[in-house]
Amino acid sequence: KDERGGWSLHAPGEATPALDALAQALRAQGRCGPWRNEQLAVCDAQGRRIGTIERGAVRPLGLATQAVHLVARAPDGRMWVRLRAFDKPNNPGMWDTLMGGMVSAADSLASAVERETWEEAGLRVAALQGVAHGGHVEFAQPSDEAGGCGYMVERIDWFRAQVPEGMAPVNQDGEVARFELLPRAALLERLARGAFTPE
């Protein structure tokens, strides 16, 4: 414990072994989010990578993460959206962008977009039209992980694209219940009644 009453982890050099031990200790005490066997990067206050940690431990510890989303339209202007599977650990059965996923420790932004677009929508980025980085949003809010003691700190880089005529998303990883094409009015109505994920 430090002088401000907080906890700190001191690991000279590569912090991954100490972070792994911390994640395992949280898991043993039932204080971890869903265990995914997926490593996410851990960065210091200056944005330098100091190690990696199991994805299930990031929100219980309030560690910053990075995600990607793809906002996609059909040629007629309607938006492709997905209904998240009802057994997903976070925001089950809620509507979301065509694709959204975490940037793993092994990913670049581009490779995360490629991987997640295939896994969630069965689409190859190279087959989409007008793919462009749209910007980013940052979240810092309580999370229900770790028995309601977690905290989400996340930067989401979002991309836009058009799905060509005759092409439709098909989920590959079981994380999507279904896809729909929504006109603007229907999209805004669902947003207004809270049917979409906060992200």
Side-chain angles (χ1 to χ4, degrees):
K1 227 173 184 185
D2 65 22
E3 66 279 355
R4 295 168 298 173
W7 293 90
S8 59
L9 179 69
H10 298 281
E14 169 68 24
T16 300
L19 291 166
D20 281 343
L22 179 57
Q24 290 291 350
L26 287 169
R27 186 183 193 190
Q29 294 298 314
R31 295 290 185 194
C32 227
W35 198 267
R36 314 267 185 110
N37 291 316
E38 180 182 355
Q39 293 287 305
L40 300 185
V42 177
C43 297
D44 65 14
Q46 289 72 45
R48 294 180 299 242
R49 181 169 161 165
I50 60 169
T52 67
I53 193 169
E54 158 61 34
R55 177 175 173 173
V58 294
R59 290 185 181 167
L61 294 172
L63 297 174
T65 57
Q66 188 169 17
V68 290
H69 276 252
L70 180 62
V71 177
R73 293 181 182 273
D76 64 8
R78 291 180 296 163
M79 301 288 295
W80 278 108
V81 296
R82 66 188 153 100
L83 183 66
R84 295 166 64 90
F86 291 91
D87 60 354
K88 279 190 70 71
N90 303 99
N91 302 313
M94 295 191 79
W95 291 97
D96 209 338
T97 57
L98 174 70
M99 172 283 284
M102 300 296 288
V103 179
S104 77
D107 281 328
S108 65
L109 272 184
S111 67
V113 171
E114 290 275 353
R115 177 179 50 77
E116 291 288 344
T117 301
W118 173 254
E119 289 176 0
E120 293 202 343
L123 298 170
R124 298 293 184 195
V125 170
L128 303 178
Q129 299 169 339
V131 179
H133 185 259
H136 75 274
V137 293
E138 295 183 9
F139 281 85
Q141 63 189 29
S143 165
D144 59 6
E145 290 188 26
C149 298
Y151 202 77
M152 174 187 175
V153 180
E154 190 160 279
R155 173 187 165 120
I156 299 172
D157 281 88
W158 65 275
F159 294 78
R160 61 177 168 256
Q162 181 172 292
V163 178
E165 190 70 44
M167 189 179 291
V170 178
N171 181 243
Q172 305 296 307
D173 62 6
E175 295 189 3
V176 178
R178 70 175 189 273
F179 294 93
E180 282 189 21
L181 267 174
L182 291 184
R184 179 179 172 81
L187 180 70
L188 292 175
E189 184 276 325
R190 285 189 195 175
L191 281 167
R193 66 177 156 91
F196 275 81
T197 65
E199 297 93 335

